[in-house]
Amino acid sequence: MNPKNTPLPSNPTNPIIEVRDFNFMYGSAQALYDISLDIGEKEVTALIGPSGCGKSTFLRCFNRMNDLIDNTRIPGGTIKISDVDIYHKDIDVIELRKHVGMVFQKSNPFPKSIYENIAYGLRIQGIKRKNEIDQVVEECLRGAALWDEVKDRLSDSALGMSGGQQQRLCIARALAVKPKIILMDEPCSALDPVATAKVEELIHVLKENYTIVIVTHNMQQAARLSDRTAFFYLGKLIEYGPNEQVFMNPENPKTEAYVSGRFG
Amino acid sequence: MSAEKKVHPKQADFHRKRAIAFGKDSDSIIKAFFGSSATIAIVVLGLITLFLFKEGAGFLKLYHTSLKEYRLSGLEYVDILKEKRDDYTALSRYLTDIRADWINHLKDSGMSAKEIAVTVRTPEAKAFFMGYMRNGSEMRRFIKEKMDVAIEIRDQHTTNKNLGDTLANYTKKIEAVKNPNYILNEEDRARFILLLKESLNNGEISIEVRTERQFRYGELEQETPLEASDLLLYLQLLEEQYNATERKIKPIDFDMAVLEVTSNYDIYAEILRKQALSIQVALAHAEALNFSHPELAQRVLRFKELNELYFDSNDAHLEKLAQWDPSAKTLFLRTLASFLMGKEWITASDQQDWYGLLPLLVGSLLISVIALFFAIPFGVGAAIYVNQIASPLERNLIKPYIEFVSAIPSVVIGFFGVVVFGEAIRLFSQLDFLSWMPFFPIQERLNAFTAGCLLALMAIPTIFTLAEDAINNIPRHFKEASYAVGATQLQTTLRVIVPTALSGIISAVMLGFGRVIGETMVVLLCAGNRITIPDFSEGIGVFFQPVHTMTGIIAQEMGEVVHGSVHYRALFMVGIVLFFISLIINYSAQWVVKKYRKVGD
Ligand SMILES: Nc1ncnc2c1ncn2[C@@H]1O[C@H](COP(=O)(O)OP(=O)(O)OP(=O)(O)O)[C@@H](O)[C@H]1O
Ligand SMILES: [Mg+2]
C-alpha cells in the first residue's frame, strides 16, 4: 500500500499538524517511510503498532527531539505545525519545543523539589518573580490534578513521589510553558491500573485545551482516549482514521489483525 | 516381568554437580580463583601498611629522646641566646641595605664616584654605620663559647651511647668465646689478627708478651692455621679491648655539665647593657647626617624604632634565660607537636635536628592548590564539553587524546618542566609590560607554580575521565526532559546535568587531588626543593617560591639516611601522614558520592 497514491483517509477538518511524505533515517537505517497524515486541533490522536514500528520516532519528530541523536537524517517530506514547516532551517527549535510539549514513557522528574520541577520551564525563560512562578506552579499542578496531593510538600524532592504522581508531575511540568500540543510516549506503560486511570482522566480533561498525540500499546486505552488512531507497521503508516473505523471496521487486514490481537 | 523393568530407572541429570577439575565444578573454581586474587591483594596491602607503621613507629620515641637531650645539654638555652643574636644580625642587615640604597640614590642624583665616597665616609656617617655594626662581636663571642660547650656535652653523650653499644657487643662475644665448645671461625681469625696487631702498639704490655705476640702475629700472617692455645690469647685480647673502650667512656652528669652553659649570666646581661648603650651612641650620630631623600630618612627613623624594640626586648630575653630549666620535663605531646607543627626540617645539623612537617605539608598543599586551580576548570570543562556539546568526531578525537596524557611518564613531564616550562615562565615574568605585578620578575625558575602547572597536566586526565563518567551516568532522560520544555543546551548543561552529576564531579576532583598530592617525580624535579615555609606575606607571590613536598623529601632523602636512625624514621612518619591524607581523600570522595547521589537508578 502506498500512501502517496491513496487520498488521505478521513482527515480531520481543522488540522494543526500536517505531515507530508515524511521519511526518517537513523544513519543508514530508515525508520519512517513516506508518512502523510493530519492531526486535528484539540483532538487526541493515538499512534499504535507493534514494537519497533517507529511510533516513538514519529512522535519525537514533532518537537525535533530526534535532533539530539547523532547521525539522524530526513531524506524527504515535511511536517507543518500551524502552517510552519518545522524542519525549515530558520526554525527556532527552542520556541518550537515550548509550543510542543512532551511527556515520556518513563517518568523523568528532575532531581529537584516538586516546586522547582515545574518552575524550571519558567526559570530558563528568565522569569524570576516569585509570585508569578508560584501562580503558574499552582495552576499547572491543579491542571495535572496533583495539587491536592502535593500542596503541603512542594519543597520535597520529586523523586520521593509515587510513579503515577511523578508522571502527572511531568505532565504538569510540560504544561508550565503553555504548549499548544502535548506529545505523550506511552505515558502509562509503567503505571498500575489506578494510576493509569488517573492519567487517562487527566488526558480527557486536557483535551479541552490541548492537542494531544499519544503513543500506546494498550488497544483499549487507544479506543477509550482518542478521537483518531494511526496504525504503523515497519515504519509505514498502514491505516489512519477515526476510532470507529480503525477498531471496528479496518480497511487493511494488517490493522484488523493487530487490533484484534492476532499479531506478533 | 522382564529383566529391563527391574533395572532402576536412570537417575536424573541434576542428581550431582558436574565436576571439571579436582572434583570441583566451574562455579567453585571461579570462586576460588577470584577469591584468592582478592585475598592476595588485601594481604599485600595489609603488609605494606604494617611495614609503614612499624618503621615509623619508633620515630616519636627516638625524637623524644633527642629533644630531651637537646634540653639537658643546654642546646635549648643556646638557641634562646641565639634569638637575640639573630635579631641584631637582622638589624645590621637592615642598616646595610639603607647604606646601599643611600649610595644608589647618590648615584642617581648624578654624583661622581669620588664625591659619593666622600659623602658616605664622613666621620658622622662612619660613626653611625660602622659604629653600629661593631656592636655584635662581644655578644657573638659569648654565644659561640656557650654553644661550643653545649655541643661538646651533647657529642660526649652521643659518643658514650655508641661506646656503650660497642661494649655490649664485646660482652656478647666474650661470653661466646668463653664457652668451651667454641670453635674459632674465619671471621674470628681476621679479628684475632687485627687485635693482635693493634695490641703490639699498646705500651702497657710487657716486653716478653709483646715478643710472643709479635711472633704469633708473624706466623698467622703466613697463613698458619689457628691452634687451640690461640683461643686463650684471643679472649685476653678481647678483654683488653673491652677495658680500653670502657675507659673511653666519660660519663657526663647533665645537671653539672649544663651549669657551664648557663653560668656567666651576669656577664651576658652586662654585655647586653653595654651593647645597648653603645648602639644608642651610634644612633645619635644619625642626626648629623642628611639623607636628602625622604624615603631614606623614613627608613632611618624606622630603623631607630626597631632598635628601641630591640632594647625593650632585652629584659624579657634575660628573664626567659633565667627561667630556663634544664630539668623541666619534655612532654611527649610536645614531641608530637614539634613533628606535626614544627616549622623547620633541618637534618644533619651539628646542633639539633628538627623534623617539622609544616614546610613539607604547606609545600604539598600549595602545589596542590595551584594544580587544582588549573585542573578543575580544564578537566571538568573538557568533560562537560566532550559529553554534552562535542560532535561525535570531536569526541572520538579529544577523549583518547586527554586520556593519553596520563600515559606520559611523570619523569618526562618533570623533565619538560625543568627544561622548557620553568624557563618559559621566568622569561615571561621578565617581560616589561608585566612588571606591574608585584612579584614579577620571579627569581627561581623552579617553584611551586611550575610544579603546580605540570601537576595540573597530570590531574586533568584523572578529573576528566572520572567527571566524564559521572556526567555520562546521568540518565539521558533528564537531558531530554529539559530540552522538551524548551531549554537551550547551555541551560540544560548548567541547570540539570552539572547539578545532578555534582557528587560525581566533586569526587573526581578529590581523586584528582589525591593524584596530585601523591605525585613525586614532578615535584622533585620542578618544585625547587627549598625546605622552608613559603612567605605568605607576599600575596600571590607565594606561589612563585620554591618549596619542598612530602613526597619529594621521601624520595630525595631515603637513599642517604642511615637505616633505623631518627631521620630514617622521620621519613616514614611523613609517609604515614601521606597515607592518611590519601585515605581521607579517598574516603571522603566515596562519602560525597554516597551522600549526595540524587539519582538512584
Ligand atoms: N537512537 C536510535 N538509533 C538507531 N536506531 C534507532 C534509534 N531509536 C530507534 N531506532 C530504530 O528505529 C526503529 C523504530 O524505533 P522506535 O523507537 O520509533 O519504535 P517504537 O514503535 O517506538 O517501538 P516501541 O513500541 O518498542 O517503543 C526501530 O527499528 C529501532 O531499532
Ligand atoms: Mg517507543
Side-chain angles (χ1 to χ4, degrees), chain A residues 37-207:
Chain A
L37 56 72
D38 286 359
I39 286 171
E41 192 173 2
K42 296 193 179 157
E43 280 183 9
V44 177
T45 307
L47 309 181
I48 61 170
S51 205
C53 66
K55 307 179 294 288
S56 300
T57 305
F58 187 51
L59 192 73
R60 292 160 60 91
C61 286
F62 295 139
N63 64 347
R64 293 186 53 172
M65 211 43 133
N66 287 327
D67 292 10
L68 302 184
I69 300 169
D70 297 328
N71 295 325
T72 55
R73 235 156 23 91
I74 295 159
T78 57
I79 296 180
K80 282 185 178 174
I81 291 180
S82 305
D83 272 337
V84 179
D85 178 359
I86 62 164
Y87 280 95
H88 192 273
K89 63 175 170 34
D90 290 339
I91 286 295
D92 182 347
V93 183
I94 302 302
E95 283 304 318
L96 170 71
R97 289 188 187 137
K98 284 183 205 155
H99 194 83
V100 185
M102 187 162 200
V103 176
F104 297 82
Q105 172 171 12
K106 190 172 176 304
S107 61
N108 55 357
F110 298 124
K112 299 172 187 278
S113 69
I114 295 173
Y115 181 92
E116 282 304 321
N117 258 282
I118 296 171
Y120 182 79
L122 305 174
R123 293 201 194 281
I124 55 174
Q125 292 177 28
I127 296 171
K128 291 208 177 66
R129 276 187 310 280
K130 174 116 176 39
N131 53 359
E132 185 178 347
I133 297 180
D134 282 350
Q135 196 185 331
V136 174
V137 168
E138 181 172 344
E139 216 169 84
C140 295
L141 283 174
R142 281 189 195 284
L146 203 58
W147 175 251
D148 292 327
E149 287 164 60
V150 301
K151 63 172 184 258
D152 299 323
R153 49 181 185 120
L154 289 179
S155 56
D156 289 7
S157 169
L159 299 182
M161 304 165 86
S162 76
Q165 287 174 324
Q166 287 190 12
Q167 193 59 296
R168 279 181 285 146
L169 180 69
C170 292
I171 296 176
R173 180 175 65 192
L175 298 180
V177 290
K178 306 209 159 42
K180 293 281 170 305
I181 302 169
I182 301 176
L183 311 173
M184 300 186 178
D185 193 348
E186 302 184 43
C188 302
S189 66
L191 305 183
D192 66 78
V194 178
T196 302
K198 281 192 179 164
V199 172
E200 282 185 14
E201 210 174 296
L202 175 59
I203 293 173
H204 214 76
V205 176
L206 291 175
K207 191 177 130 177

Side-chain angles (χ1 to χ4, degrees), chain B residues 261-516:
Chain B
V261 180
T262 52
S263 61
N264 302 341
Y265 175 80
D266 297 337
I267 298 181
Y268 181 64
E270 182 60 21
I271 290 175
L272 285 186
R273 205 181 57 78
K274 274 204 249 155
Q275 185 195 40
L277 288 179
S278 150
I279 285 178
Q280 270 159 345
V281 172
L283 290 178
H285 286 283
E287 305 296 336
L289 292 173
N290 175 16
F291 287 102
S292 70
H293 200 279
E295 194 196 319
L296 273 177
Q298 194 63 41
R299 284 180 67 187
V300 172
L301 269 182
R302 175 83 189 125
F303 180 64
K304 283 183 181 169
E305 281 169 26
L306 288 175
N307 271 291
E308 287 303 323
L309 289 178
Y310 177 73
F311 302 144
D312 289 348
S313 70
N314 273 357
D315 287 343
H317 175 64
L318 287 170
E319 181 62 25
K320 196 171 168 191
L321 287 175
Q323 292 292 325
W324 183 77
D325 175 12
S327 54
K329 219 166 141 36
T330 312
L331 289 177
F332 201 72
L333 210 63
R334 209 198 119 190
T335 308
L336 191 65
S338 91
F339 170 70
L340 288 178
M341 290 178 294
K343 296 196 180 75
E344 284 175 313
W345 180 278
I346 297 172
T347 57
S349 142
D350 63 343
Q351 295 158 43
Q352 171 66 28
D353 286 355
W354 294 105
Y355 301 99
L357 185 68
L358 272 193
L360 308 172
L361 185 68
V362 170
S364 281
L365 291 180
L366 192 69
I367 291 180
S368 304
V369 166
I370 301 168
L372 290 182
F373 178 80
F374 291 106
I376 292 174
F378 282 110
V380 176
I384 291 172
Y385 180 79
V386 164
N387 195 282
Q388 294 293 315
I389 302 168
S391 69
L393 182 75
E394 283 175 302
R395 195 173 317 154
N396 292 338
L397 223 67
I398 299 175
K399 221 178 133 169
Y401 189 80
I402 294 184
E403 279 159 6
F404 165 75
V405 174
S406 66
I408 304 176
S410 58
V411 68
V412 175
I413 292 188
F415 185 64
F416 168 80
V418 173
V419 179
V420 185
F421 191 70
E423 193 59 35
I425 285 190
R426 196 179 46 188
L427 290 179
F428 181 73
S429 77
Q430 285 165 350
L431 294 179
D432 278 341
F433 67 90
L434 284 171
S435 57
W436 54 269
M437 295 237 245
F439 45 91
F440 272 5
I442 54 176
Q443 282 102 32
E444 307 281 349
R445 135 184 99 98
L446 300 180
N447 53 45
F449 185 78
T450 315
C453 287
L454 292 161
L455 280 186
L457 194 65
M458 307 192 65
I460 284 174
T462 310
I463 295 181
F464 168 81
T465 310
L466 293 171
E468 212 256 344
D469 269 1
I471 295 172
N472 207 29
N473 280 341
I474 305 280
R476 169 188 182 81
H477 59 236
F478 285 133
K479 189 172 160 184
E480 292 190 335
S482 169
Y483 278 111
V485 289
T488 60
Q489 189 168 48
L490 189 69
Q491 286 168 335
T492 305
T493 304
L494 294 185
R495 287 167 185 254
V496 178
I497 307 287
V498 172
T500 314
L502 198 61
S503 66
I505 292 176
I506 290 176
S507 104
V509 167
M510 295 224 228
L511 294 175
F513 176 47
R515 173 102 171 78
V516 166

Side-chain angles (χ1 to χ4, degrees), chain B residues 524-573:
Chain B
L524 195 58
L525 288 172
C526 304
N529 298 352
R530 185 196 289 167
I531 314 178
T532 45
I533 297 181
D535 180 5
F536 281 90
S537 63
E538 283 200 28
I540 300 182
V542 72
F543 295 117
F544 293 92
Q545 293 172 11
V547 294
H548 216 314
T549 54
M550 294 191 285
T551 48
I553 202 100
I554 296 178
Q556 190 180 29
E557 296 186 344
M558 196 46 104
E560 41 196 61
V561 295
V562 182
H563 189 97
S565 64
V566 203
H567 190 178
Y568 170 87
R569 292 183 192 280
L571 294 178
F572 271 95
M573 278 301 278

Side-chain angles (χ1 to χ4, degrees), chain B residues 184 189 192 216 219-220 224-232:
Chain B
L184 293 171
R189 183 193 166 92
F192 184 34
R216 190 62 190 141
E219 276 183 339
L220 287 176
T224 326
L226 286 172
E227 290 162 23
S229 63
D230 285 326
L231 197 65
L232 218 62

